[in-house]
Every structure is written in C-alpha cells, then in structure tokens.
C-alpha cells in the first residue's frame, strides 16, 4: 500500500481561519482577530506535530522490519531426505587412529543447520566398494560459520572407518540430516549428568558447548568420560579448556581401564559409586545422557535404575 503524502502547506480549514483572522485584524485589531490568530497558531502546531509523529512512526517501523530481517536465522545446508556433498578442506591427524575432518559449507556465512544434540548420516564405501552409511555428530555448532567438523576414530575393521581413512583434501562427503530424537531448549533441566565412552563423547561435547557458550543458559553439566587408555581420550584439550573457562558450570571425571602410572582419575569401569559421586542425584529437573559402546550403555542403564533414576530422567543417544 502506498504511503499518503505529507502536506507541508496548511490544510484548507487553517487557511480559511487565517484569512478570517487577517480580516478581523484589519478591521481594528479586535480581540476576536487576536483569538483567531491564536487558534490558527495552535492548529498549525498540532498539524506539524502530527506530521512529525507520522514520519517517526514510519521510520521506526522500517528500522524494526530491517532488524527482524537481519536477525532471521539463516537456512541450514542439510536435507533430511537427500544426501548433499560437502568438500573436505582440512584433515588433521590427532593420533594414530583419530583424525579431525573439516568440511566447507557453500559460503563463509552458511550454517549446517543441525539442532543441538542431533547427528548426521554419512555415506561412503568400505574396503570392498560396498556402500555404507553411519551416523556421526559434528563437534561444531551453527555458530561456527562456513564449516563443520567431525572427529573420527578409525577402527582397523570399521567399514566407514576405511572411507574416512582414504579421504584426501578435495574429496567430497555425502551427508544427510538432521537425525535424532534429542531436542534441547536452554534451561529445560537444572543439570545434566553425562556418561560417555570412547567416541560417544561427540554428542556430549556438542551439547556441552552449546550450553556453556550461551550466556543466558545456567544449566550445569557433570560428565563421566570412560576410555581404555589415556591416548584414547578424544577432545581432551578442548574438554579441559572448557573446565578451566567454566569451572562452576562444567565438571569432568575421566575413567581409564588401563591408566598410566601417574593418574588421578577413575580406574576400571564406570561404577554406581562413581555415578553417585560425580552426577546429579535423581530429581525431576535433571537428566542423565548416555552414549558409548553397547555393553557400556547396558551396564549404565542398570546402574541408573538401581540408583533410582527413572526412565524419564534418562536419554540414550
């Protein structure tokens, strides 16, 4: 709809009143003429004030519309039904069987569009050339523009491990998503307890990052992270950095089945006593997240049930 033009000249009824005031003044400067001039002045001031207000409202509305458009969440690059190709731009070996893969998004301002705690499906080929599809959780968030990263532990007989092991910078990875049942809203619980084993740390890392980097989210996170050896610990540098940055909101307890000689963490398998000591007690406003190898997940479910955590207080990735 076109905006109505703003008239800088006085309306006709003001012009008529001004003429009448002039005539009355010409006849002798009567009080009636002075009153008419006063009325004209007040009416003119009112008209100017209304015009200014109209301009201010229009400018404010235009600014608000611009602000809303600029703050609109950008569209993600994922497709839940179809695989899309993303170029590998960096591959960094972290240990003998772990590497970090960085993939480029279409533009430097693009976002992957992955909700917190959900994952993607990656498609590749195993050593025999057969197609294989496996879920992975990026360690990046949508605040990491223009890219997403995967930290992959490659097993000798792993079918998708073979694909990642053979990937070179410039190759493309087929990705579909988002996938997953977990949905997170800031403040939905008072605290999370997390039980992770091996590469099961990646969804925990993603959720923890999202919580800690949100200044309006006061959720506390208590993580128990189990591995076989010290070298098996994934993302340790990043995890320790988060503990140092957010000491009141994030606690982590490492557990190793084969610890080094000097070790101040847990030893063996994650026990009920460890959960009691390092996770929030059962309550309606907490949740325990689990992600690890199947035997660990089964054992943790039994521990949690014995400790009084209801099914509503638990979630397994």
């Amino acid at each position: 709809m076109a905006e109505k033009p703003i008239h800088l000249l006085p309306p006709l009824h003001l012009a008529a009143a001004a003429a009448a005031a002039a005539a009355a003044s010409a006849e002798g400067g009567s009080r009636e003429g002075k009153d008419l001039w006063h009325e004209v002045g007040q009416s003119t001031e009112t008209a100017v004030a209304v015009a200014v207000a109209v301009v201010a409202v229009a400018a404010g509305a235009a600014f608000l519309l611009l602000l809303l458009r600029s703050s609109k969440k950008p569209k993600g690059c994922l497709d839940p039904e179809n695989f899309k190709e993303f170029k590998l731009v960096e591959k960094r070996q972290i240990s003998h069987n772990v590497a970090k893969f960085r993939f480029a998004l279409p533009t430097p301002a693009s976002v992957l569009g992955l909700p917190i705690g959900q994952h993607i499906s990656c498609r590749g080929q195993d050593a025999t050339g057969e197609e294989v599809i496996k879920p992975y959780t990026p360690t990046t968030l949508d605040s990491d523009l223009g890219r997403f990263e995967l930290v992959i532990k490659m097993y000798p007989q792993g079918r998708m491990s073979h694909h990642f092991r053979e990937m070179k910078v410039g190759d493309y990875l087929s990705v579909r998503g988002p996938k997953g049942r977990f949905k997170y809203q800031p403040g939905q619980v008072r605290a999370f307890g997390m039980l992770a084993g091996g590469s099961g740390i990646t969804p925990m890392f993603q959720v923890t990052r999202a919580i800690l980097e949100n200044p309006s989210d006061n959720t506390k996170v208590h993580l128990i992270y189990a591995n076989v050896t010290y070298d098996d610990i994934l993302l340790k540098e990043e995890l320790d950095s988060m503990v140092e940055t957010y000491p009141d909101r994030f606690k982590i307890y490492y557990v190793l089945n084969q610890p080094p000689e000097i070790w101040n963490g847990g030893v063996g398998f994650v026990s009920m006593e460890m959960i009691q000591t390092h996770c929030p007690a059962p309550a309606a406003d907490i949740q325990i997240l689990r992600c690890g190898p199947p035997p660990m997940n089964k054992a943790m479910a039994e521990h949690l049930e014995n400790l009084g955590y209801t099914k509503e207080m638990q979630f397994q990735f």
Side-chain angles (χ1 to χ4, degrees), residues 114-120 134-138 141 178-185 188-189 192-211 221-225 287-298 300-301 304 311 313-317:
L114 186 68
I116 297 169
Q118 298 198 10
H119 59 268
I120 56 177
K134 189 175 179 182
Y136 291 95
T137 303
L141 304 174
K179 303 288 183 180
R181 299 173 293 112
F182 185 80
K183 294 181 180 180
Y184 179 69
Q185 294 296 327
Q188 73 181 40
V189 294
F192 279 115
M194 297 181 175
L195 306 175
S199 56
I201 189 62
T202 53
M204 309 301 190
F205 181 82
Q206 184 203 64
V207 172
T208 300
R209 259 199 71 189
I211 291 172
V221 179
H222 306 262
L223 169 65
I224 297 177
Y225 183 23
Q287 191 171 35
I288 306 295
L289 308 180
R290 309 191 309 266
C291 189
M296 178 182 177
N297 286 332
K298 182 179 179 181
M300 294 306 100
L304 292 171
K311 293 191 180 298
M313 297 177 194
Q314 303 178 48
F315 182 88
Q316 180 175 309
F317 285 102

Side-chain angles (χ1 to χ4, degrees), residues 24-260:
S25 296
E27 289 178 1
S30 66
R31 181 172 181 176
E32 179 183 357
K34 293 178 181 179
D35 290 343
L36 284 172
W37 275 119
H38 181 67
E39 180 183 343
V40 170
Q42 285 186 325
S43 299
T44 303
E45 289 175 1
T46 301
V48 171
V50 169
V52 171
V54 169
V55 171
V57 170
F63 177 75
L64 181 60
L65 181 61
L66 181 63
L67 187 65
L68 289 173
R69 285 178 177 175
S70 63
S71 62
K72 186 178 179 181
K73 187 175 181 180
K75 183 180 179 181
C77 299
L78 291 172
D79 186 331
E81 303 298 331
N82 303 297
F83 281 97
K84 299 180 71 173
E85 303 285 316
F86 297 96
K87 185 177 181 179
L88 177 64
V89 294
E90 183 182 334
K91 179 179 179 180
R92 182 163 65 91
Q93 204 72 26
I94 298 175
S95 69
H96 71 284
N97 64 348
V98 177
K100 179 182 287 187
F101 297 78
R102 175 177 290 188
F103 297 90
L105 298 178
T107 73
S110 297
V111 299
L112 185 61
L114 186 68
I116 297 169
Q118 298 198 10
H119 59 268
I120 56 177
S121 294
C122 298
R123 182 175 65 186
Q125 291 184 334
D126 64 12
T128 67
E130 290 188 13
E131 181 180 277
V132 57
I133 298 174
K134 189 175 179 182
Y136 291 95
T137 303
T139 55
T140 44
L141 304 174
D142 279 354
S143 56
D144 301 307
L145 302 179
R147 71 185 195 277
F148 72 94
E149 294 178 356
L150 298 173
V151 174
I152 306 294
K153 187 169 186 176
M154 291 163 285
Y155 299 92
Q157 304 303 319
R159 298 179 65 205
M160 194 67 192
S161 293
H162 169 81
H163 183 85
F164 278 109
R165 195 162 39 241
E166 295 298 314
M167 283 195 78
K168 298 177 177 60
V169 171
D171 292 344
Y172 285 81
L173 179 69
S174 297
V175 173
R176 182 174 63 192
K179 303 288 183 180
R181 299 173 293 112
F182 185 80
K183 294 181 180 180
Y184 179 69
Q185 294 296 327
Q188 73 181 40
V189 294
R190 171 176 52 84
F192 279 115
M194 297 181 175
L195 306 175
S199 56
I201 189 62
T202 53
M204 309 301 190
F205 181 82
Q206 184 203 64
V207 172
T208 300
R209 259 199 71 189
I211 291 172
L212 298 179
E213 294 178 13
N214 182 352
S216 62
D217 194 338
N218 297 317
T219 307
K220 296 184 183 299
V221 179
H222 306 262
L223 169 65
I224 297 177
Y225 183 23
N227 284 279
V228 177
T229 69
Y230 185 88
D231 291 337
D232 292 324
I233 301 175
L234 301 181
L235 300 165
K236 189 175 189 303
E237 183 179 340
E238 293 86 346
L239 290 167
D240 291 345
S241 176
M242 289 195 293
V243 170
E244 184 177 343
T245 305
Y246 308 98
D248 297 328
R249 299 175 59 200
F250 182 46
K251 309 289 184 183
I252 184 168
Y253 184 68
Y254 294 105
V255 179
L256 295 179
N257 191 250
Q258 299 173 17

Side-chain angles (χ1 to χ4, degrees), residues 10-17:
L12 291 178
H13 75 281
L14 293 180

